[in-house]
Amino acid sequence: MNLELTRLPGRRIWYSLAVTGLAAAVLAGCSNNGQDNLNNSSRTAVSSPQVSPSPSSAAAPGQSPKSASASSIAVDEQPSTVFYEVFVRSFSDSDGNGIGDLRGLTERLDYLNDGNPDTTDDLGIGGIWLMPVNPSPSYHGYDVTDYRSINPDYGTLQDMQQLVKEAHKRGIKVIMDLVVNHTSKEHPWFVESAKNKDSKFRDFYVWAEDQNRPVSGTSAAGSGNPWHSLLGSHYMGTFWDGMPDLNFDNPEVRSEMEDIGKFWLTQGVDGFRLDAAKHIYEDLLSDKSAATTAKNVAWWQEFRKAMNEVNPKAYIVGEVWENSAVSVGAYLDHAFDSGFNFGLAEALVNSAKTEKDSGAVFTLERTYKLYSQISGGSFTDAIFLTNHDQNRVMSQLGNNPDHAKMAAAMLLTLPGNPFIYYGEEIGMLGQKPDEGIREPMQWSADGQSKGQTTWEQSSNNASNPGGDVESQLHGSSSLLDWYRQLIALRSSVPALQSGGIRDFVSGNEGIMAFERITAGQQVLVALNLTGKPQTLNLQNGEKGKPYSKILKALPGEAELTGETLTLPPYTTVILE
């Protein structure tokens, strides 16, 4: 079901709340009435501090925020870290064989964050998400053959430990992809499962004949018939025949995966990005059914509880590829700290492309109220522009640097943990097939820089002048410098770092405006998405908070005269 909410006269946006019955079930608690490990689950985000004890007077859906006083808003703070997604194979090569490796990434840590807050020539990120680093027969690594070791192309377990150690020295967290929905068909478990029906590993996977299931149906992942024939039987492989699904109805499988998670936490890893999180259990009809979602959530709650035994502060973010707030929110009930916000990513890229405010903040404000109810105020959104499964943002924006800068500005001023896909900060291009969006990181224009990977030809970026680190390293107007300034600004303003959010009706579709609020600070963010000067009437906002000071204007100047803010083209302004 879609609820239509009015934001501005004559203007509507759609906010998906999925099935009403599921929404009610989620708000009531997805598993065990929300009692699983409630007292023991320590989460990354803090509980909800209130600016005042009167949240009931906040604006209702469809009502202008002017009806709610600035002193009466309840705020769910989201302490945030800027993460950087790395495809190790493409990032930096330490031994000259053309393949990126863990030592190469370690050598590049100072590019990401040198650990010195007084310097300005590093990106300033606070976390790294490693795409799969386990052994795999595929270049991408999403079909694992050994969960407790490192892909020899990338190095050794000792190299991984050294990376984590050096990252922690610089204040960088390291989370890794954990792919537990399926293994590789070359994994020893599956090899044994296929050839020996009496082996305990037979029940590690889903065999149609063993479970009296029909060899029919459509994969909820959209990859056609999920059943694949082998040695007279049929096994489930939701994504591909090379990725047989594990059987999570088997308690030994669940225990094994919990032990694997604990193993990596003991190596110093700070958490996990969970691949294909909503596909653990499949009904082959719909991945949105309430029963399937509840079963998936129950497993991830079990996993979370097990991880708490090693590191209660481990950060867990799940890939739940949905635009429905309820479908994603279900997993925030003592399972995940975050779910990736795919709907927001689409809205931000579209706003940058069209130079029009999409109404994303209006939706976010209501989404976070729902998430707060589900999680008890203990959640952090995971926001991004694009990732390794999508055409790169610069390609989507037609290689327009101004649009790329405004997309970054929106991303890095909103609540939650922003995730930057490697090379996004230098405007790398990339379009599917998948290899085209995972091309080598561009360190120099001539491709001869130390550490340059060459495992794949950079076909999308071969003729992209200036789209490399060396060319942008010292340029004050470069996209790289823009990212550095935005991340530094986010780190220096508490409300941008951790604040909740409230929509600010700008009355100008070329301006995206919103307030970021903590218990101790309230700021207004105004972004001119267009190539022309725009004005914002501050009287449109809350009467209880007069904004009289420009904290920062990027890239240059803005003018505040009384109640009128004038923004130059493609400008980001923070007011207090």
Side-chain angles (χ1 to χ4, degrees), residues 12 22 25 40 46 59 62 136 145 234 265 357 376 381 421:
R12 295 171 178 173
L22 177 57
N40 296 326
V46 298
S136 169
T145 56
H234 295 81
L265 291 181
D357 178 20
D381 203 2
Y421 187 38

Side-chain angles (χ1 to χ4, degrees), residues 12-84:
R12 295 171 178 173
I13 63 171
W14 292 95
Y15 181 54
S16 174
L17 286 182
V19 182
T20 303
L22 177 57
V26 168
L27 291 176
C30 289
S31 169
N32 299 325
N33 294 318
Q35 297 304 306
D36 254 358
N37 203 37
L38 283 178
N39 296 323
N40 296 326
S41 178
S42 174
R43 309 294 294 278
T44 300
V46 298
S47 58
S48 314
Q50 293 184 358
V51 174
S52 92
S54 307
S56 59
S57 60
Q63 183 180 4
S64 169
K66 293 180 74 171
S67 63
S69 72
S71 63
S72 65
I73 185 172
V75 179
D76 286 308
E77 294 189 9
Q78 299 182 47
S80 69
T81 299
V82 179
F83 279 83
Y84 190 85

Side-chain angles (χ1 to χ4, degrees), residues 62-268:
Q63 183 180 4
S64 169
K66 293 180 74 171
S67 63
S69 72
S71 63
S72 65
I73 185 172
V75 179
D76 286 308
E77 294 189 9
Q78 299 182 47
S80 69
T81 299
V82 179
F83 279 83
Y84 190 85
E85 180 188 359
V86 175
F87 182 36
V88 175
R89 183 173 297 273
S90 284
F91 198 66
S92 186
D93 170 24
S94 70
D95 56 15
N97 68 354
I99 297 174
D101 47 51
L102 295 174
R103 289 187 180 184
L105 174 55
T106 302
E107 292 171 357
R108 295 288 187 179
L109 286 177
D110 283 350
Y111 166 76
L112 300 175
N113 188 337
D114 63 9
N116 183 351
D118 295 328
T119 59
T120 59
D121 57 354
D122 57 331
L123 193 56
I125 59 95
I128 296 171
W129 157 22
L130 299 174
M131 287 172 63
V133 294
N134 300 118
S136 169
S138 300
Y139 83 94
H140 50 72
Y142 282 98
D143 46 341
V144 175
T145 56
D146 184 351
Y147 284 101
R148 290 181 176 86
S149 63
I150 296 295
N151 188 328
D153 284 347
Y154 296 164
T156 66
L157 185 58
Q158 290 70 36
D159 292 332
M160 181 70 166
Q161 293 166 339
Q162 185 66 18
L163 168 65
V164 172
K165 178 182 177 181
E166 290 298 322
H168 287 173
K169 276 185 186 178
R170 294 162 173 80
I172 303 173
K173 301 175 183 178
V174 179
I175 66 172
M176 61 181 289
D177 244 310
L178 194 62
V179 188
V180 305
N181 177 74
H182 49 262
T183 69
S184 168
K185 67 179 179 181
E186 296 182 23
H187 194 293
W189 297 345
F190 185 72
V191 173
E192 181 67 19
S193 176
K195 72 180 183 181
N196 186 355
K197 293 184 179 181
D198 296 325
S199 167
K200 76 166 188 174
F201 294 111
R202 180 71 173 185
D203 196 45
F204 269 41
Y205 297 87
V206 183
W207 295 92
E209 290 76 11
D210 296 357
Q211 298 187 6
N212 294 317
R213 299 181 64 170
V215 186
S216 61
T218 301
S219 167
S223 56
N225 191 331
W227 296 105
H228 308 283
S229 176
L230 181 64
L231 300 177
S233 298
H234 295 81
Y235 65 92
M236 183 186 291
T238 297
F239 291 95
W240 173 49
D241 67 350
M243 295 176 171
D245 284 30
L246 285 162
N247 175 20
F248 278 81
D249 283 326
N250 183 337
E252 283 193 72
V253 170
R254 298 199 303 273
S255 178
E256 182 68 27
M257 288 307 167
E258 290 166 13
D259 286 346
I260 288 165
K262 290 178 180 180
F263 170 82
W264 286 109
L265 291 181
T266 62
Q267 304 305 309

Side-chain angles (χ1 to χ4, degrees), residues 352-429:
K353 184 186 302 183
T354 62
E355 301 192 351
K356 293 180 180 179
D357 178 20
S358 65
V361 173
F362 179 77
T363 300
L364 274 184
E365 189 179 345
R366 283 141 185 83
T367 298
Y368 292 164
K369 289 176 183 177
L370 174 66
Y371 287 178
S372 183
Q373 288 178 284
I374 295 169
S375 68
S378 187
F379 74 93
T380 302
D381 203 2
I383 61 177
F384 67 104
L385 297 175
T386 60
N387 65 21
H388 62 278
D389 286 323
Q390 300 163 308
N391 289 340
R392 283 186 173 272
V393 63
M394 189 57 112
S395 290
Q396 292 190 47
L397 296 177
N399 206 7
N400 184 314
D402 291 319
H403 289 173
K405 287 180 178 180
M406 296 317 297
M410 287 183 278
L411 176 72
L412 292 166
T413 54
L414 288 171
N417 289 335
F419 283 76
I420 300 168
Y421 187 38
Y422 80 94
E424 205 161 76
E425 76 279 12
I426 55 172
M428 278 180 60
L429 300 171

